[in-house]
Amino acid sequence: ETFAQDVRYGLRGLRTQPGYALAVAVTMALGIGANTAIFSVVNAVVLEPLPYARGEDLLLVRQTRTDVDNTGFSILDLGDISRRTASLDALVEYHNMYFILLGGLEPERVATGVVSWDYFQALGVTPFLGRTFRAEDDSHEAEATLVLSHEYWQRAFGGSRDVIGRIVEMNDRPHRIVGVLPDVPMYPQPN
């Protein structure tokens, strides 16, 4: 009975001051909308696991100095860490670089992820077309190979399926395209 009385009193007050009621309604709508938008971002970035096999188990290892944010690791460092750490299933290498790519529709400066041969296996990513890297691809004597992101394949090669085996030039060195990745976000940075 008291609740019904309070509701009637509130409705009477809103009828007598419609400008105030509108301002309250707009303020509440903006607040609810802002909270929803913020939660959506936090949920997608922080709470949801990455869209990879065992994405919740992925760990990004960085090395820093006081004057440099991310100094990276050498191949020898990665080997030492891998041998001395029993708690990691795999330790793979990733760094990003920019290259000039010739062989697509037009010459283009592209951001690339340079990865160790087992990077995609560690993420559980199987290629959309072709293959990913193999251990022999990491050899200095091996032909330079390239795996395209799905987005870049669509944009630069028009989604052509005959891209596998094609030779493109990156920074004056021929690279053979061996695969195209599925349409998944690139980790840890989009390339």
Side-chain angles (χ1 to χ4, degrees), residues 140-157:
H140 287 293
E141 298 81 34
E143 175 183 43
T145 55
L146 188 62
V147 175
L148 302 176
S149 72
H150 195 273
E151 183 273 329
Y152 186 78
W153 169 64
Q154 291 282 330
R155 181 172 45 84
F157 294 95

Side-chain angles (χ1 to χ4, degrees), residues 74-105:
S74 72
I75 298 298
L76 296 175
D77 288 338
L78 290 174
D80 286 345
I81 294 168
S82 185
R83 280 189 297 280
R84 294 178 183 190
T85 308
S87 60
L88 298 176
D89 291 338
L91 183 65
V92 295
E93 195 261 343
Y94 168 91
H95 68 274
N96 60 330
M97 296 178 72
Y98 285 92
F99 290 102
I100 303 298
L101 182 71
L102 305 172
L105 299 176

Side-chain angles (χ1 to χ4, degrees), residues 93-136:
E93 195 261 343
Y94 168 91
H95 68 274
N96 60 330
M97 296 178 72
Y98 285 92
F99 290 102
I100 303 298
L101 182 71
L102 305 172
L105 299 176
E106 291 186 19
E108 184 177 3
R109 183 175 188 253
V110 293
T112 64
V114 179
V115 299
S116 55
W117 73 270
D118 53 348
Y119 179 82
F120 297 111
Q121 288 84 348
L123 291 178
V125 173
T126 56
F128 177 73
L129 289 176
R131 66 174 177 89
T132 58
F133 301 117
R134 297 179 182 148
E136 56 268 19

Side-chain angles (χ1 to χ4, degrees), residues 34-87:
N35 270 332
T36 302
I38 290 170
F39 177 76
S40 297
V41 170
V42 168
N43 185 48
V45 173
V46 177
L47 302 178
E48 288 292 318
L50 292 167
Y52 302 111
R54 295 178 51 202
E56 68 280 357
D57 293 339
L58 289 177
L59 176 67
L60 178 63
V61 179
R62 293 188 140 193
Q63 178 172 244
T64 60
R65 292 187 335 215
T66 54
D67 56 335
V68 180
D69 179 36
N70 183 13
T71 59
F73 294 94
S74 72
I75 298 298
L76 296 175
D77 288 338
L78 290 174
D80 286 345
I81 294 168
S82 185
R83 280 189 297 280
R84 294 178 183 190
T85 308
S87 60

Side-chain angles (χ1 to χ4, degrees), residues 22-34:
L22 180 63
V24 167
V26 167
T27 302
M28 287 183 64
L30 289 173
I32 291 170

